[in-house]
């Protein structure tokens, strides 16, 4: 099985999870070493909820749940998600 036979919806779910992780990282980067106000705390909770929802959706996909070589599938999925994004940016 290659990246070419990964379902498009599964690749989209991986992209969603990657974007959610990137949003959390970006949020934290600008706020290291200081206290957060109430609005920032609410934004943090929203970002964490989005990240959790993305991970749950990805793991719930039938292809993920039924994959005998799950770690291999995850590795190929990450490559496919990055490759498709890089191709779209070109």
């Amino acid at each position: 099985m290659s990246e070419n036979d990964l379902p498009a919806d599964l690749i989209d779910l991986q992209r969603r999870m990657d974007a959610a992780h990137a949003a959390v990282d970006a949020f934290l980067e600008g706020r290291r070493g200081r206290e957060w106000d109430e609005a920032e705390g609410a934004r943090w909770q929203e970002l964490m909820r989005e990240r959790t929802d993305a991970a749950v959706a990805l793991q719930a996909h039938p292809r993920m749940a039924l994959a005998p070589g799950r770690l291999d599938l995850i590795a190929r999925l990450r490559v496919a998600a990055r490759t498709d994004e890089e191709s779209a940016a070109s």
Side-chain angles (χ1 to χ4, degrees):
M1 190 182 325
S2 69
E3 287 82 15
N4 295 336
D5 65 350
L6 292 171
D9 62 332
L10 188 57
I11 295 171
D12 289 341
L13 288 170
Q14 179 66 50
R15 282 194 199 116
R16 178 180 161 202
M17 191 168 83
D18 291 346
H21 278 278
V24 167
D25 290 346
F27 179 87
L28 289 175
E29 187 61 36
R31 290 163 182 80
R32 294 194 193 279
R34 67 174 180 84
E35 291 188 29
W36 299 350
D37 61 26
E38 190 173 322
E40 289 172 317
R43 179 67 180 141
W44 170 254
Q45 289 178 353
E46 178 184 339
L47 290 171
M48 292 305 292
R49 191 170 27 258
E50 289 172 7
R51 187 173 80 167
T52 300
D53 291 349
V56 168
L58 178 64
Q59 298 304 318
H61 190 281
R63 186 76 175 265
M64 293 294 282
L66 301 174
R70 189 176 167 121
L71 293 177
D72 180 56
L73 175 62
I74 291 169
R76 289 184 299 106
L77 182 58
R78 287 180 177 159
V79 168
R82 276 195 306 267
T83 303
D84 287 351
E85 284 180 349
E86 290 167 358
S87 295
S90 304

